[in-house]
Amino acid sequence: MKQWYQDRMYARVIRMDGRVDRVQLDCMEDCGTLIASFPEQADWTDIRTVEFAPEMGQNKAGQDGYYIIPHGEGSVGDTILCRFREREDTEMVLDRFAMPIWSCIQSRGSFVAIVSSMTYEYRLAVGVKDGVYSCYACFDLNGHMPYEPITIEFRLLDDKADYNEAARAYREWREQRGELRRYDVRAKERPQARYTAESIYVRIRQGWKPVPPPVREQTPETEPEMHVAATFDDVSELLDVFQAHGIDKAEICLVGWNKSGHDGRWPQPFPVEERLGGEEALKRLTAKARAMGYAMVCHTNSTDAYSIADCWAETDILCDEAGAPVKNNQPWSGGDMYQVCPLCGLRQAMELLPKVRALGFEGTHYIDVISTVFPRTCHAPGHPVTRRQCAALWNRILRFARQQFGGISSEGGFDFIAPELDFGLYVSFGLGDCPLADDVVPLWQLVYHGYILSNPYSKTVNPTNDDLLKVVEYGGRPTFYYDSKFVTPDPNKDVNWMGENDYHCHTPEDRQSSAEWIARVYRWYEGIRHLQTLTMERHEILPDGVRRVTYENGDQIVVDYRQKKAYLNGKQILPLE
């Protein structure tokens, strides 16, 4: 091991009484990877925080290079490059990352840090103070013994590496562990996977109760009225309009088909909502879609529950350390949203999903939020679960659903689900404000394109011509959402996280107007969809707002954001006329 690295392989340990010690890490080198672990302790009760290798990647302001920080639930909205430039002191502590990595690109000693154990229990301290940049992991133990060793693997990169090589190193690490499968391999095994890659994705929100809800703990007697946006017959007529406009491959996902609409009474979906037409009308619709060559799937939920459900059981709910049931801060259509313990969620899915499949759904099924929320901890005495166990259980739910329907999708791109997920509705919610962001790059796509289908940002759903520039740069699958805007407007919040563009299908005029643009995007997608099963090998930031992406077969996408144009192998493909 090079002395330069060896000198940095220590942990700063903050004791419960505030004392700070330096503890040497246990290290080994294996084929260009430094595997560093915090040593076993006789007494964990005296350790509040372990700051892991705090000098690894430390740089002075003004030096060449940058940190690569991935997005996450408690971090930045998209992967950022933080350059080692002169700036005011700025320190951030981030957590709940979509990928358990960060990277330092510097003149010597570039690396990718992969948190391979205690993966879901760290925070990342990153910033600059007094002209010195640092970026390192913090594990807050607060006197508790960790449930697995604390280990970080530092994959060393060559001196000419950039964020592309960092992404490739992480992808190879996951491949070597048997955690990734190429999408074209999936497509050979499952015809539905091929169809999903070649089709556009269309979600239709059929009905919902008010959000935020006027009643927090609902009963059948106090339940608010459900708004009907699209009946099963409306959707049936939309399929005819799609076919007339030449859309021959579309995956249609019904949202709110269940009792009381979207998020109405989970985990109770039945009876199929009568105000939309009821079960027989739904079965006619799924049979018609199948006969027309369309895939029709639906939206279910395996992570949340409402007390109005006829199968409600508080014993299924995740508990905090005090033993109290946990609910989300944000109530939803069904009222207060309680978090289901992953063990109980698996049992529910295995009981429920075969009954949902019997309605005629077939395709890349959608389970809500399971890939856009961080793994959870349950402290219930009857079903305790660590975050590591939670990730494994959620993967089992996805695997079971895929076996039932033919494929599996969810809302985001948290990569603990990478072994199972076929498609992510969107990878992130967009950048937002970050004082350390000097550039954004498609790190997630550089790792996973060719393995998982995706759409880049929530606001590239229902894409305009401008949105399609980002879709094509990030290798996205065109995605549309009828009645994407359903939350009651709030002047103090941006409640439309999927943007302001929207479609409706409750009238013939709505169906016709929406299909015209969707059909144009579909015809455009036909010319580039072959890229979906290829790896994204290189992304480049060029001058004057130009980005260039090279795929494994040599095809190149060039996006010019100033001119608002995009090219495939030199031929202009955007804007759509």
Side-chain angles (χ1 to χ4, degrees), residues 521-561:
V521 176
Y522 175 73
R523 289 191 290 272
W524 167 78
Y525 183 57
E526 287 183 297
I528 62 169
R529 63 189 181 188
H530 67 283
L531 299 175
Q532 288 295 323
T533 58
L534 303 175
T535 56
M536 186 183 287
E537 287 301 298
R538 189 155 195 84
H539 177 273
E540 298 169 89
I541 302 172
L542 303 180
D544 301 321
V546 177
R547 303 290 185 266
R548 182 167 60 205
V549 181
T550 304
Y551 285 85
E552 63 176 310
N553 69 342
D555 280 359
Q556 285 193 339
I557 293 285
V558 173
V559 180
D560 186 332
Y561 282 100

Side-chain angles (χ1 to χ4, degrees), residues 346-391:
L346 176 61
R347 187 199 73 241
Q348 291 174 359
M350 296 182 75
E351 294 171 353
L352 171 68
L353 293 182
K355 298 175 184 177
V356 175
R357 173 67 180 87
L359 296 171
F361 293 114
E362 184 176 4
T364 300
H365 179 69
Y366 182 93
I367 298 180
D368 200 21
V369 307
I370 204 166
S371 62
T372 199
V373 294
F374 203 62
R376 296 166 174 170
T377 302
C378 182
H379 297 276
H383 43 81
V385 172
T386 67
R387 293 190 199 274
R388 173 76 67 188
Q389 292 167 334
C390 174

Side-chain angles (χ1 to χ4, degrees), residues 200-203 461-463 478-482 503 517-518 521:
I200 56 172
Y201 186 50
V202 181
R203 290 172 63 80
V461 172
N462 292 341
T479 298
F480 303 89
Y481 208 137
Y482 282 74
Y503 303 109
W517 173 250
I518 292 173
V521 176

Side-chain angles (χ1 to χ4, degrees), residues 43 48 55 73 82 221 311 336 463 483-484 508 554:
D43 182 13
R48 177 185 298 161
E55 290 187 33
E73 187 181 343
C82 171
E221 294 74 29
C311 54
D336 279 342
D483 283 289
S484 66

Side-chain angles (χ1 to χ4, degrees), residues 59 63-67 82-85 104-107:
N59 279 272
Q63 292 181 320
D64 290 337
Y66 49 82
Y67 296 133
C82 171
R83 302 188 187 279
F84 305 136
R85 62 177 176 85
C104 178
I105 303 299
Q106 52 194 350
S107 57

